Amino acid sequence: MKKLLTTTLVVATLFFSCKTEKKETTPEKNSQKTEYVSFGEKISSDNPLSKSDVLTKFQNLKTGDTLNIKFTSTINEVCKKKGCWMKLDLGNEKESMVRFKDYGFFVPLNSDKKEVIVNGKAFVTETSVKDLQHYAKDAGKSEEEIAQITEPKYTYAFEANGVLLKN
């Protein structure tokens, strides 16, 4: 009889603890139901700038300037080896090269054409004509092709500390 009472008590405890646990996890599942998957630091989807606003901000930056911003865009391309960088559309045939802070996270390799929100630092890098010509020579370009390089190349760069990828 003592054994039956102990067994009944154990079964009842397990039953109620499972039931209580289920009640606690159901709201968490509902609150976590979101349209984004998060990578890197946790960021909010509230109030991101548009890609056209960010393009204007990039165009006003000088080499050495940085700007802390959050914006939304569409992924044009993702690194197909690790997902360690992506290029985001800024409109007007411009894009931003996005890398991830401290190489600390990656995005899925199949993220092309998906919408994202990124948070981090925007900056402009400049590659001089001399360096571009040097790279072209190293790449085996002809003297005519090298001579056609007459302007520096500006890259709209971004170091993301957090990314929200739309499902």
Side-chain angles (χ1 to χ4, degrees):
M1 181 73 158
K2 193 174 190 181
K3 194 174 191 178
L4 179 63
L5 182 60
T6 304
T7 305
T8 305
L9 185 59
V10 168
V11 170
T13 303
L14 288 174
F15 177 76
F16 286 113
S17 66
C18 289
K19 196 167 193 161
T20 303
E21 185 175 326
K22 185 176 181 183
K23 282 184 180 179
E24 291 174 0
T25 58
T26 303
E28 289 176 6
K29 285 181 184 177
N30 289 339
S31 67
Q32 289 178 354
K33 187 177 181 182
T34 181
E35 29 182 307
Y36 294 99
V37 178
S38 180
F39 298 92
E41 292 178 14
K42 186 174 181 171
I43 64 171
S44 152
S45 61
D46 297 339
N47 305 316
L49 296 173
S50 70
K51 65 183 181 181
S52 60
D53 289 341
V54 172
L55 177 58
T56 301
K57 290 186 181 298
F58 268 120
Q59 290 169 335
N60 292 323
L61 288 176
K62 295 180 179 91
T63 303
D65 292 347
T66 60
L67 186 60
N68 292 316
I69 58 173
K70 175 172 56 172
F71 74 98
T72 185
S73 185
T74 304
I75 300 173
N76 285 342
E77 185 180 359
V78 174
C79 169
K80 296 302 180 197
K81 289 186 179 184
K82 291 184 180 181
C84 57
W85 55 261
M86 60 184 172
K87 294 180 181 178
L88 299 184
D89 179 40
L90 296 177
N92 295 333
E93 298 182 20
K94 303 286 186 187
E95 58 187 11
S96 176
M97 177 63 159
V98 178
R99 291 189 173 86
F100 308 112
K101 185 177 181 185
D102 299 328
Y103 208 60
F105 61 96
F106 306 113
V107 295
L109 305 181
N110 64 347
S111 299
D112 294 350
K113 308 301 178 216
K114 291 195 177 184
E115 289 181 43
V116 291
I117 297 174
V118 294
N119 188 77
K121 295 180 189 266
F123 56 99
V124 176
T125 60
E126 178 184 347
T127 308
S128 70
V129 171
K130 183 179 178 182
D131 286 343
L132 290 170
Q133 289 174 340
H134 176 81
Y135 298 149
K137 184 176 181 180
D138 287 349
K141 301 285 183 181
S142 70
E143 290 298 321
E144 291 116 18
E145 290 173 302
I146 295 170
Q148 290 177 354
I149 300 171
T150 59
E151 293 184 17
K153 180 181 178 187
Y154 294 93
T155 301
Y156 298 145
F158 194 86
E159 182 184 78
N161 57 26
V163 174
L164 294 175
L165 180 67
K166 194 167 188 175
N167 284 333

